[in-house]
Amino acid sequence: SQTIHQWPATLVQPVGSPLSLECTVEGTSNPNLYWYRQAAGRGLQLLFYSVGIGQISSEVPQNLSASRPQDRQFILSSKKLLLSDSGFYLCAWRDTGASGNTIYFGEGSWLTVV
Amino acid sequence: GDSVTQMEGPVTLSEEAFLTINCTYTATGYPSLFWYVQYPGEGLQLLLKATKADDKGSNKGFEATYRKETTSFHLEKGSVQVSDSAVYFCALSDGGGADGLTFGKGTHLIIQP
């Protein structure tokens, strides 16, 4: 069966520090991968998606970037965090096979920028 | 563009009460519709889905029917439990470029014993 993991689960970072959140998917190949953010009191916002290695699309302009160095690995980064980057970040994947129109989420990472 | 509108919370009910959380959508074509649930401090879990008009998704006593004529996908449960307390998100996927999900803002459900 397929599983998705992301880490770290919780982190507190000072303003101006770098960020790296990592996500891996097991049990599938060539998935579509996504990063969402859930800010306090707001819904979920799609930040990035990837349909293959090295292919990244950004949905909103921001202080963050994403990379996909391997088929089942998706990384969210920042060189200098802002206070407004605080939130709950969720990695997700979608099976690109015939039955794949459902998106599955990781456990989430809580980021507090102080 | 696509959008999902769901009732704002918090919604507070007593145990064993009947639950309805309204969800309506705007999309081109024929999207797939989903309900996700988020328990405190956790990620999102798929609760149920429907991929075409008149389909009914069901899971754990929850049901939702894809109504194309009213562009709705209301979530219902006949008798809620304290363990159902969570945030519920309605979402759609229209198979577009990102083929990601468009979410509603979420409804916080609180069930009191």
Side-chain angles (χ1 to χ4, degrees):
Chain A
S1 64
Q2 300 89 355
T3 58
I4 179 171
H5 297 291
Q6 62 178 104
W7 66 92
T10 305
L11 66 165
V12 180
Q13 294 284 100
V15 169
S17 65
L19 170 73
S20 181
L21 300 178
E22 188 165 342
C23 171
T24 60
V25 181
E26 298 295 335
T28 187
S29 59
N30 196 34
N32 282 2
L33 297 173
Y34 307 86
W35 279 109
Y36 286 85
R37 176 171 59 198
Q38 185 179 23
R42 301 177 64 182
L44 288 100
Q45 181 183 39
L46 177 63
L47 302 176
F48 299 95
Y49 70 95
S50 171
V51 299
I53 297 174
Q55 300 179 61
I56 308 295
S57 296
S58 174
E59 289 293 293
V60 293
Q62 59 209 312
N63 184 43
L64 303 168
S65 62
S67 61
R68 186 170 177 175
Q70 300 180 42
D71 181 46
R72 292 170 293 177
Q73 183 184 26
F74 205 25
I75 299 171
L76 184 69
S77 304
S78 173
K79 293 183 179 178
K80 291 185 178 181
L81 284 168
L82 306 172
L83 286 174
S84 58
D85 291 325
S86 295
F88 190 47
Y89 289 82
L90 289 156
C91 182
W93 72 278
R94 186 178 74 82
D95 189 343
T96 54
S99 64
N101 74 336
T102 301
I103 291 179
Y104 300 93
F105 288 84
E107 309 94 330
S109 298
W110 287 100
L111 170 64
T112 303
V113 182
V114 296
Chain B
D2 296 345
S3 67
V4 175
T5 302
Q6 59 182 108
M7 54 194 303
E8 303 263 347
V11 173
T12 303
L13 296 173
S14 298
E15 202 166 23
E16 299 184 0
F18 183 86
L19 168 70
T20 299
I21 300 178
N22 290 336
C23 171
T24 57
Y25 67 90
T26 302
T28 55
Y30 303 94
S32 295
L33 302 175
F34 305 83
W35 277 101
Y36 284 84
V37 58
Q38 184 179 32
Y39 298 102
E42 299 184 9
L44 272 69
Q45 301 176 25
L46 177 67
L47 181 59
L48 54 84
K49 68 178 183 180
T51 58
K52 60 183 188 296
D54 299 325
D55 269 1
K56 177 185 286 187
S58 61
N59 186 26
K60 299 181 180 180
F62 291 89
E63 292 183 341
T65 301
Y66 189 147
R67 300 290 188 197
K68 185 174 182 296
E69 64 276 13
T70 55
T71 61
S72 65
F73 193 53
H74 304 322
L75 182 69
E76 297 182 334
K77 186 174 185 181
S79 177
V80 291
Q81 306 299 313
V82 172
S83 58
D84 293 327
S85 298
V87 180
Y88 292 81
F89 291 92
C90 185
L92 70 82
S93 175
D94 68 359
D99 207 13
L101 292 167
T102 300
F103 283 91
K105 292 187 176 181
T107 301
H108 186 194
L109 176 64
I110 300 169
I111 307 299
Q112 297 177 333

Tab-separated table of all heavy atoms in Angstrom, chain B residues 23-81:
chain	number	residue	atom	x	y	z
B	23	CYS	N	-22.384	22.332	1.356
B	23	CYS	CA	-21.267	22.621	0.456
B	23	CYS	C	-21.826	22.854	-0.945
B	23	CYS	O	-22.577	22.021	-1.457
B	23	CYS	CB	-20.280	21.467	0.431
B	23	CYS	SG	-18.992	21.600	-0.834
B	24	THR	N	-21.466	23.972	-1.541
B	24	THR	CA	-21.814	24.232	-2.933
B	24	THR	C	-20.538	24.596	-3.690
B	24	THR	O	-19.562	25.037	-3.090
B	24	THR	CB	-22.840	25.364	-3.079
B	24	THR	OG1	-22.319	26.539	-2.460
B	24	THR	CG2	-24.162	24.996	-2.442
B	25	TYR	N	-20.577	24.419	-4.995
B	25	TYR	CA	-19.356	24.631	-5.760
B	25	TYR	C	-19.647	25.367	-7.060
B	25	TYR	O	-20.766	25.403	-7.553
B	25	TYR	CB	-18.676	23.294	-6.058
B	25	TYR	CG	-19.451	22.403	-6.997
B	25	TYR	CD1	-19.275	22.469	-8.375
B	25	TYR	CD2	-20.390	21.504	-6.497
B	25	TYR	CE1	-20.009	21.664	-9.232
B	25	TYR	CE2	-21.136	20.708	-7.344
B	25	TYR	CZ	-20.939	20.785	-8.710
B	25	TYR	OH	-21.680	19.996	-9.555
B	26	THR	N	-18.590	25.933	-7.604
B	26	THR	CA	-18.607	26.524	-8.946
B	26	THR	C	-17.421	25.954	-9.691
B	26	THR	O	-16.282	26.029	-9.205
B	26	THR	CB	-18.482	28.060	-8.878
B	26	THR	OG1	-19.548	28.587	-8.099
B	26	THR	CG2	-18.526	28.669	-10.266
B	27	ALA	N	-17.689	25.358	-10.843
B	27	ALA	CA	-16.607	24.760	-11.631
B	27	ALA	C	-17.060	24.604	-13.064
B	27	ALA	O	-18.251	24.498	-13.341
B	27	ALA	CB	-16.215	23.405	-11.055
B	28	THR	N	-16.086	24.566	-13.958
B	28	THR	CA	-16.397	24.252	-15.349
B	28	THR	C	-16.370	22.736	-15.505
B	28	THR	O	-15.632	22.038	-14.798
B	28	THR	CB	-15.371	24.885	-16.290
B	28	THR	OG1	-14.063	24.459	-15.885
B	28	THR	CG2	-15.438	26.404	-16.214
B	29	GLY	N	-17.182	22.233	-16.394
B	29	GLY	CA	-17.164	20.796	-16.640
B	29	GLY	C	-17.789	20.000	-15.521
B	29	GLY	O	-18.730	20.450	-14.854
B	30	TYR	N	-17.227	18.817	-15.299
B	30	TYR	CA	-17.796	17.884	-14.333
B	30	TYR	C	-16.726	17.470	-13.331
B	30	TYR	O	-16.030	16.478	-13.514
B	30	TYR	CB	-18.347	16.664	-15.073
B	30	TYR	CG	-19.377	17.051	-16.110
B	30	TYR	CD1	-19.022	17.266	-17.442
B	30	TYR	CD2	-20.703	17.241	-15.741
B	30	TYR	CE1	-19.963	17.647	-18.387
B	30	TYR	CE2	-21.650	17.615	-16.679
B	30	TYR	CZ	-21.265	17.822	-17.997
B	30	TYR	OH	-22.200	18.199	-18.926
B	31	PRO	N	-16.615	18.233	-12.256
B	31	PRO	CA	-15.547	17.935	-11.286
B	31	PRO	C	-15.850	16.707	-10.455
B	31	PRO	O	-17.001	16.261	-10.368
B	31	PRO	CB	-15.546	19.193	-10.408
B	31	PRO	CG	-16.962	19.680	-10.449
B	31	PRO	CD	-17.422	19.388	-11.862
B	32	SER	N	-14.820	16.165	-9.843
B	32	SER	CA	-14.985	15.187	-8.773
B	32	SER	C	-15.093	15.956	-7.460
B	32	SER	O	-14.469	17.005	-7.294
B	32	SER	CB	-13.797	14.231	-8.712
B	32	SER	OG	-13.734	13.459	-9.888
B	33	LEU	N	-15.880	15.432	-6.535
B	33	LEU	CA	-16.137	16.121	-5.275
B	33	LEU	C	-15.694	15.256	-4.106
B	33	LEU	O	-15.813	14.026	-4.146
B	33	LEU	CB	-17.624	16.455	-5.152
B	33	LEU	CG	-18.197	17.323	-6.269
B	33	LEU	CD1	-19.713	17.472	-6.104
B	33	LEU	CD2	-17.529	18.694	-6.284
B	34	PHE	N	-15.191	15.919	-3.061
B	34	PHE	CA	-14.598	15.211	-1.934
B	34	PHE	C	-14.999	15.876	-0.621
B	34	PHE	O	-15.225	17.082	-0.560
B	34	PHE	CB	-13.059	15.252	-2.020
B	34	PHE	CG	-12.497	14.739	-3.312
B	34	PHE	CD1	-12.408	15.555	-4.426
B	34	PHE	CD2	-12.041	13.433	-3.406
B	34	PHE	CE1	-11.884	15.084	-5.629
B	34	PHE	CE2	-11.512	12.951	-4.596
B	34	PHE	CZ	-11.438	13.777	-5.707
B	35	TRP	N	-15.021	15.072	0.418
B	35	TRP	CA	-15.016	15.560	1.788
B	35	TRP	C	-13.787	14.984	2.483
B	35	TRP	O	-13.554	13.766	2.445
B	35	TRP	CB	-16.274	15.151	2.549
B	35	TRP	CG	-17.439	16.047	2.302
B	35	TRP	CD1	-18.501	15.827	1.479
B	35	TRP	CD2	-17.681	17.324	2.908
B	35	TRP	NE1	-19.372	16.881	1.520
B	35	TRP	CE2	-18.898	17.816	2.390
B	35	TRP	CE3	-16.992	18.112	3.836
B	35	TRP	CZ2	-19.445	19.048	2.775
B	35	TRP	CZ3	-17.523	19.326	4.214
B	35	TRP	CH2	-18.739	19.790	3.689
B	36	TYR	N	-13.013	15.895	3.102
B	36	TYR	CA	-11.870	15.509	3.903
B	36	TYR	C	-12.159	15.898	5.356
B	36	TYR	O	-12.866	16.872	5.622
B	36	TYR	CB	-10.604	16.235	3.457
B	36	TYR	CG	-10.005	15.698	2.173
B	36	TYR	CD1	-10.473	16.133	0.937
B	36	TYR	CD2	-8.967	14.773	2.192
B	36	TYR	CE1	-9.931	15.646	-0.243
B	36	TYR	CE2	-8.406	14.286	1.025
B	36	TYR	CZ	-8.893	14.732	-0.190
B	36	TYR	OH	-8.346	14.249	-1.354
B	37	VAL	N	-11.548	15.162	6.289
B	37	VAL	CA	-11.698	15.459	7.705
B	37	VAL	C	-10.306	15.653	8.316
B	37	VAL	O	-9.349	14.945	7.963
B	37	VAL	CB	-12.483	14.341	8.446
B	37	VAL	CG1	-11.807	12.983	8.304
B	37	VAL	CG2	-12.666	14.694	9.918
B	38	GLN	N	-10.213	16.645	9.179
B	38	GLN	CA	-8.951	16.937	9.867
B	38	GLN	C	-9.188	16.915	11.366
B	38	GLN	O	-9.833	17.812	11.913
B	38	GLN	CB	-8.408	18.302	9.430
B	38	GLN	CG	-7.051	18.632	10.021
B	38	GLN	CD	-6.540	19.983	9.549
B	38	GLN	OE1	-7.314	20.897	9.293
B	38	GLN	NE2	-5.235	20.111	9.415
B	39	TYR	N	-8.645	15.897	12.023
B	39	TYR	CA	-8.721	15.825	13.481
B	39	TYR	C	-7.644	16.725	14.083
B	39	TYR	O	-6.638	17.020	13.420
B	39	TYR	CB	-8.590	14.387	13.948
B	39	TYR	CG	-9.697	13.503	13.438
B	39	TYR	CD1	-9.503	12.627	12.368
B	39	TYR	CD2	-10.978	13.565	13.991
B	39	TYR	CE1	-10.526	11.849	11.876
B	39	TYR	CE2	-12.009	12.794	13.500
B	39	TYR	CZ	-11.778	11.937	12.444
B	39	TYR	OH	-12.809	11.179	11.944
B	40	PRO	N	-7.816	17.169	15.302
B	40	PRO	CA	-6.882	18.135	15.896
B	40	PRO	C	-5.426	17.723	15.772
B	40	PRO	O	-5.052	16.616	16.148
B	40	PRO	CB	-7.335	18.190	17.361
B	40	PRO	CG	-8.789	17.845	17.309
B	40	PRO	CD	-8.921	16.821	16.221
B	41	GLY	N	-4.611	18.629	15.228
B	41	GLY	CA	-3.179	18.398	15.129
B	41	GLY	C	-2.741	17.422	14.060
B	41	GLY	O	-1.565	17.069	14.004
B	42	GLU	N	-3.670	16.993	13.223
B	42	GLU	CA	-3.339	15.989	12.206
B	42	GLU	C	-3.501	16.524	10.793
B	42	GLU	O	-4.021	17.617	10.575
B	42	GLU	CB	-4.219	14.753	12.397
B	42	GLU	CG	-4.046	14.073	13.745
B	42	GLU	CD	-4.871	12.803	13.860
B	42	GLU	OE1	-5.444	12.353	12.845
B	42	GLU	OE2	-4.940	12.263	14.974
B	43	GLY	N	-3.057	15.726	9.828
B	43	GLY	CA	-3.262	16.064	8.427
B	43	GLY	C	-4.688	15.763	8.009
B	43	GLY	O	-5.544	15.438	8.832
B	44	LEU	N	-4.931	15.873	6.706
B	44	LEU	CA	-6.274	15.635	6.185
B	44	LEU	C	-6.437	14.180	5.776
B	44	LEU	O	-5.559	13.586	5.164
B	44	LEU	CB	-6.544	16.519	4.958
B	44	LEU	CG	-7.104	17.901	5.237
B	44	LEU	CD1	-6.063	18.764	5.903
B	44	LEU	CD2	-7.603	18.536	3.955
B	45	GLN	N	-7.599	13.632	6.114
B	45	GLN	CA	-7.935	12.275	5.703
B	45	GLN	C	-9.132	12.329	4.767
B	45	GLN	O	-10.091	13.065	5.021
B	45	GLN	CB	-8.296	11.413	6.914
B	45	GLN	CG	-7.222	11.298	7.962
B	45	GLN	CD	-7.702	10.515	9.170
B	45	GLN	OE1	-8.622	9.694	9.078
B	45	GLN	NE2	-7.097	10.761	10.323
B	46	LEU	N	-9.072	11.554	3.706
B	46	LEU	CA	-10.220	11.460	2.818
B	46	LEU	C	-11.370	10.787	3.558
B	46	LEU	O	-11.225	9.692	4.090
B	46	LEU	CB	-9.863	10.669	1.568
B	46	LEU	CG	-11.011	10.439	0.585
B	46	LEU	CD1	-11.446	11.755	-0.037
B	46	LEU	CD2	-10.599	9.441	-0.492
B	47	LEU	N	-12.535	11.431	3.556
B	47	LEU	CA	-13.705	10.861	4.210
B	47	LEU	C	-14.582	10.138	3.183
B	47	LEU	O	-14.965	8.998	3.372
B	47	LEU	CB	-14.503	11.952	4.904
B	47	LEU	CG	-15.751	11.530	5.654
B	47	LEU	CD1	-15.428	10.519	6.747
B	47	LEU	CD2	-16.461	12.742	6.258
B	48	LEU	N	-14.894	10.818	2.086
B	48	LEU	CA	-15.682	10.211	1.027
B	48	LEU	C	-15.552	11.037	-0.237
B	48	LEU	O	-15.088	12.171	-0.197
B	48	LEU	CB	-17.158	10.060	1.434
B	48	LEU	CG	-17.901	11.292	1.931
B	48	LEU	CD1	-18.445	12.122	0.786
B	48	LEU	CD2	-19.035	10.887	2.861
B	49	LYS	N	-15.988	10.445	-1.345
B	49	LYS	CA	-15.891	11.157	-2.605
B	49	LYS	C	-17.000	10.704	-3.554
B	49	LYS	O	-17.618	9.661	-3.358
B	49	LYS	CB	-14.538	10.926	-3.266
B	49	LYS	CG	-14.315	9.507	-3.760
B	49	LYS	CD	-12.969	9.382	-4.458
B	49	LYS	CE	-12.764	7.985	-5.037
B	49	LYS	NZ	-11.443	7.855	-5.713
B	50	ALA	N	-17.222	11.518	-4.596
B	50	ALA	CA	-18.154	11.177	-5.668
B	50	ALA	C	-17.605	11.760	-6.963
B	50	ALA	O	-17.131	12.889	-6.978
B	50	ALA	CB	-19.547	11.731	-5.381
B	51	THR	N	-17.651	10.986	-8.004
B	51	THR	CA	-16.993	11.400	-9.237
B	51	THR	C	-17.955	11.801	-10.350
B	51	THR	O	-17.515	12.346	-11.370
B	51	THR	CB	-16.072	10.292	-9.755
B	51	THR	OG1	-16.853	9.110	-9.952
B	51	THR	CG2	-14.966	10.005	-8.763
B	52	LYS	N	-19.255	11.546	-10.190
B	52	LYS	CA	-20.189	11.976	-11.220
B	52	LYS	C	-21.548	12.255	-10.596
B	52	LYS	O	-21.838	11.852	-9.461
B	52	LYS	CB	-20.318	10.942	-12.328
B	52	LYS	CG	-20.811	9.593	-11.898
B	52	LYS	CD	-20.816	8.641	-13.086
B	52	LYS	CE	-21.471	7.320	-12.762
B	52	LYS	NZ	-20.745	6.580	-11.728
B	53	ALA	N	-22.376	12.950	-11.367
B	53	ALA	CA	-23.683	13.383	-10.878
B	53	ALA	C	-24.497	12.201	-10.367
B	53	ALA	O	-24.497	11.121	-10.952
B	53	ALA	CB	-24.430	14.115	-11.984
B	54	ASP	N	-25.175	12.435	-9.239
B	54	ASP	CA	-26.061	11.481	-8.558
B	54	ASP	C	-25.314	10.384	-7.816
B	54	ASP	O	-25.948	9.554	-7.161
B	54	ASP	CB	-27.073	10.865	-9.525
B	54	ASP	CG	-27.967	11.905	-10.157
B	54	ASP	OD1	-28.295	12.897	-9.467
B	54	ASP	OD2	-28.317	11.769	-11.333
B	55	ASP	N	-23.973	10.368	-7.901
B	55	ASP	CA	-23.207	9.433	-7.084
B	55	ASP	C	-23.374	9.787	-5.620
B	55	ASP	O	-23.442	10.971	-5.261
B	55	ASP	CB	-21.717	9.517	-7.430
B	55	ASP	CG	-21.328	8.545	-8.515
B	55	ASP	OD1	-22.203	7.822	-9.025
B	55	ASP	OD2	-20.130	8.509	-8.848
B	56	LYS	N	-23.415	8.775	-4.766
B	56	LYS	CA	-23.416	9.002	-3.326
B	56	LYS	C	-22.141	8.413	-2.751
B	56	LYS	O	-21.860	7.229	-2.926
B	56	LYS	CB	-24.636	8.351	-2.671
B	56	LYS	CG	-24.638	8.490	-1.145
B	56	LYS	CD	-25.787	7.739	-0.502
B	56	LYS	CE	-27.095	8.446	-0.703
B	56	LYS	NZ	-28.200	7.813	0.068
B	57	GLY	N	-21.363	9.253	-2.070
B	57	GLY	CA	-20.208	8.779	-1.335
B	57	GLY	C	-20.611	8.510	0.105
B	57	GLY	O	-21.449	9.230	0.664
B	58	SER	N	-20.027	7.476	0.711
B	58	SER	CA	-20.369	7.174	2.099
B	58	SER	C	-19.184	6.528	2.793
B	58	SER	O	-18.390	5.800	2.172
B	58	SER	CB	-21.590	6.253	2.172
B	58	SER	OG	-21.323	5.033	1.540
B	59	ASN	N	-19.069	6.810	4.094
B	59	ASN	CA	-17.989	6.242	4.894
B	59	ASN	C	-18.244	6.592	6.358
B	59	ASN	O	-18.599	7.739	6.679
B	59	ASN	CB	-16.637	6.804	4.451
B	59	ASN	CG	-15.462	6.148	5.149
B	59	ASN	OD1	-15.536	5.013	5.598
B	59	ASN	ND2	-14.366	6.882	5.238
B	60	LYS	N	-18.055	5.647	7.242
B	60	LYS	CA	-18.158	5.874	8.691
B	60	LYS	C	-19.494	6.500	9.083
B	60	LYS	O	-19.560	7.279	10.044
B	60	LYS	CB	-17.019	6.766	9.179
B	60	LYS	CG	-15.630	6.196	8.956
B	60	LYS	CD	-14.561	7.148	9.491
B	60	LYS	CE	-13.178	6.588	9.262
B	60	LYS	NZ	-12.110	7.497	9.765
B	61	GLY	N	-20.560	6.196	8.368
B	61	GLY	CA	-21.864	6.739	8.686
B	61	GLY	C	-22.149	8.081	8.046
B	61	GLY	O	-23.273	8.582	8.109
B	62	PHE	N	-21.154	8.679	7.414
B	62	PHE	CA	-21.331	9.934	6.694
B	62	PHE	C	-21.739	9.648	5.246
B	62	PHE	O	-21.312	8.666	4.661
B	62	PHE	CB	-20.038	10.753	6.682
B	62	PHE	CG	-19.631	11.308	8.014
B	62	PHE	CD1	-18.834	10.574	8.879
B	62	PHE	CD2	-20.046	12.570	8.404
B	62	PHE	CE1	-18.460	11.079	10.108
B	62	PHE	CE2	-19.670	13.099	9.628
B	62	PHE	CZ	-18.871	12.348	10.480
B	63	GLU	N	-22.556	10.554	4.697
B	63	GLU	CA	-22.979	10.425	3.302
B	63	GLU	C	-22.995	11.799	2.649
B	63	GLU	O	-23.219	12.814	3.323
B	63	GLU	CB	-24.397	9.856	3.210
B	63	GLU	CG	-24.539	8.428	3.640
B	63	GLU	CD	-25.967	7.930	3.441
B	63	GLU	OE1	-26.877	8.774	3.331
B	63	GLU	OE2	-26.151	6.709	3.395
B	64	ALA	N	-22.774	11.808	1.328
B	64	ALA	CA	-22.941	13.036	0.555
B	64	ALA	C	-23.301	12.633	-0.869
B	64	ALA	O	-22.721	11.686	-1.414
B	64	ALA	CB	-21.676	13.883	0.560
B	65	THR	N	-24.254	13.352	-1.474
B	65	THR	CA	-24.700	13.045	-2.827
B	65	THR	C	-24.337	14.178	-3.759
B	65	THR	O	-24.592	15.351	-3.457
B	65	THR	CB	-26.227	12.804	-2.860
B	65	THR	OG1	-26.535	11.719	-1.980
B	65	THR	CG2	-26.682	12.455	-4.269
B	66	TYR	N	-23.759	13.831	-4.887
B	66	TYR	CA	-23.339	14.796	-5.911
B	66	TYR	C	-24.590	15.271	-6.656
B	66	TYR	O	-25.184	14.522	-7.431
B	66	TYR	CB	-22.399	14.065	-6.860
B	66	TYR	CG	-21.652	14.884	-7.888
B	66	TYR	CD1	-20.387	14.477	-8.268
B	66	TYR	CD2	-22.191	15.992	-8.516
B	66	TYR	CE1	-19.672	15.164	-9.234
B	66	TYR	CE2	-21.486	16.686	-9.474
B	66	TYR	CZ	-20.227	16.269	-9.836
B	66	TYR	OH	-19.525	16.940	-10.802
B	67	ARG	N	-24.974	16.527	-6.431
B	67	ARG	CA	-26.174	17.096	-7.059
B	67	ARG	C	-25.745	18.134	-8.074
B	67	ARG	O	-25.397	19.259	-7.717
B	67	ARG	CB	-27.075	17.751	-6.005
B	67	ARG	CG	-27.563	16.823	-4.918
B	67	ARG	CD	-28.570	15.827	-5.440
B	67	ARG	NE	-29.187	15.054	-4.350
B	67	ARG	CZ	-29.838	13.935	-4.531
B	67	ARG	NH1	-29.953	13.408	-5.754
B	67	ARG	NH2	-30.369	13.313	-3.498
B	68	LYS	N	-25.758	17.748	-9.333
B	68	LYS	CA	-25.313	18.659	-10.384
B	68	LYS	C	-26.298	19.816	-10.560
B	68	LYS	O	-25.907	20.954	-10.810
B	68	LYS	CB	-25.144	17.883	-11.693
B	68	LYS	CG	-24.578	18.706	-12.845
B	68	LYS	CD	-24.306	17.814	-14.037
B	68	LYS	CE	-23.702	18.612	-15.178
B	68	LYS	NZ	-24.628	19.631	-15.682
B	69	GLU	N	-27.588	19.532	-10.424
B	69	GLU	CA	-28.590	20.578	-10.683
B	69	GLU	C	-28.512	21.710	-9.667
B	69	GLU	O	-28.840	22.849	-9.985
B	69	GLU	CB	-29.996	19.964	-10.706
B	69	GLU	CG	-30.450	19.352	-9.396
B	69	GLU	CD	-29.971	17.923	-9.186
B	69	GLU	OE1	-29.079	17.466	-9.930
B	69	GLU	OE2	-30.480	17.274	-8.247
B	70	THR	N	-28.066	21.402	-8.456
B	70	THR	CA	-27.936	22.441	-7.431
B	70	THR	C	-26.465	22.722	-7.119
B	70	THR	O	-26.175	23.511	-6.206
B	70	THR	CB	-28.648	22.028	-6.136
B	70	THR	OG1	-28.144	20.753	-5.706
B	70	THR	CG2	-30.154	21.945	-6.340
B	71	THR	N	-25.547	22.115	-7.860
B	71	THR	CA	-24.087	22.227	-7.634
B	71	THR	C	-23.772	22.117	-6.148
B	71	THR	O	-23.122	22.997	-5.550
B	71	THR	CB	-23.511	23.520	-8.230
B	71	THR	OG1	-24.109	24.669	-7.625
B	71	THR	CG2	-23.712	23.562	-9.726
B	72	SER	N	-24.239	21.023	-5.544
B	72	SER	CA	-24.052	20.851	-4.103
B	72	SER	C	-23.522	19.465	-3.785
B	72	SER	O	-23.655	18.522	-4.585
B	72	SER	CB	-25.371	21.088	-3.371
B	72	SER	OG	-26.322	20.101	-3.729
B	73	PHE	N	-22.940	19.366	-2.587
B	73	PHE	CA	-22.393	18.091	-2.110
B	73	PHE	C	-22.450	18.143	-0.581
B	73	PHE	O	-21.442	18.117	0.109
B	73	PHE	CB	-20.960	17.917	-2.620
B	73	PHE	CG	-20.392	16.535	-2.475
B	73	PHE	CD1	-21.057	15.425	-2.954
B	73	PHE	CD2	-19.149	16.340	-1.884
B	73	PHE	CE1	-20.528	14.145	-2.843
B	73	PHE	CE2	-18.592	15.069	-1.765
B	73	PHE	CZ	-19.280	13.974	-2.238
B	74	HIS	N	-23.644	18.180	-0.039
B	74	HIS	CA	-23.843	18.359	1.399
B	74	HIS	C	-23.479	17.086	2.160
B	74	HIS	O	-23.864	15.976	1.770
B	74	HIS	CB	-25.293	18.718	1.702
B	74	HIS	CG	-25.771	19.934	0.971
B	74	HIS	ND1	-24.991	21.049	0.757
B	74	HIS	CD2	-26.986	20.198	0.396
B	74	HIS	CE1	-25.686	21.952	0.089
B	74	HIS	NE2	-26.898	21.462	-0.148
B	75	LEU	N	-22.803	17.264	3.285
B	75	LEU	CA	-22.391	16.136	4.124
B	75	LEU	C	-23.439	15.900	5.208
B	75	LEU	O	-23.865	16.849	5.872
B	75	LEU	CB	-21.035	16.436	4.764
B	75	LEU	CG	-20.434	15.325	5.629
B	75	LEU	CD1	-20.024	14.134	4.777
B	75	LEU	CD2	-19.224	15.861	6.398
B	76	GLU	N	-23.814	14.633	5.407
B	76	GLU	CA	-24.831	14.300	6.401
B	76	GLU	C	-24.407	13.093	7.214
B	76	GLU	O	-23.687	12.209	6.730
B	76	GLU	CB	-26.183	14.004	5.723
B	76	GLU	CG	-26.771	15.168	4.970
B	76	GLU	CD	-28.123	14.844	4.354
B	76	GLU	OE1	-28.383	13.659	4.078
B	76	GLU	OE2	-28.914	15.778	4.145
B	77	LYS	N	-24.878	13.082	8.473
B	77	LYS	CA	-24.725	11.898	9.310
B	77	LYS	C	-25.926	11.848	10.234
B	77	LYS	O	-26.308	12.857	10.830
B	77	LYS	CB	-23.433	11.918	10.115
B	77	LYS	CG	-23.191	10.619	10.892
B	77	LYS	CD	-21.846	10.589	11.580
B	77	LYS	CE	-21.616	9.219	12.238
B	77	LYS	NZ	-20.327	9.126	12.950
B	78	GLY	N	-26.483	10.670	10.391
B	78	GLY	CA	-27.726	10.536	11.145
B	78	GLY	C	-27.574	10.699	12.640
B	78	GLY	O	-28.479	11.200	13.313
B	79	SER	N	-26.437	10.299	13.197
B	79	SER	CA	-26.256	10.333	14.650
B	79	SER	C	-24.776	10.539	14.936
B	79	SER	O	-23.974	9.616	14.791
B	79	SER	CB	-26.751	9.023	15.268
B	79	SER	OG	-26.512	9.006	16.663
B	80	VAL	N	-24.431	11.764	15.317
B	80	VAL	CA	-23.010	12.073	15.494
B	80	VAL	C	-22.526	11.634	16.870
B	80	VAL	O	-23.294	11.511	17.831
B	80	VAL	CB	-22.744	13.586	15.307
B	80	VAL	CG1	-22.961	13.971	13.849
B	80	VAL	CG2	-23.613	14.425	16.236
B	81	GLN	N	-21.211	11.418	16.944
B	81	GLN	CA	-20.551	11.028	18.185
B	81	GLN	C	-19.498	12.067	18.555
B	81	GLN	O	-19.043	12.840	17.691
B	81	GLN	CB	-19.880	9.655	18.011
B	81	GLN	CG	-20.814	8.577	17.509
B	81	GLN	CD	-21.971	8.346	18.462
B	81	GLN	OE1	-21.760	8.230	19.673
B	81	GLN	NE2	-23.190	8.276	17.925
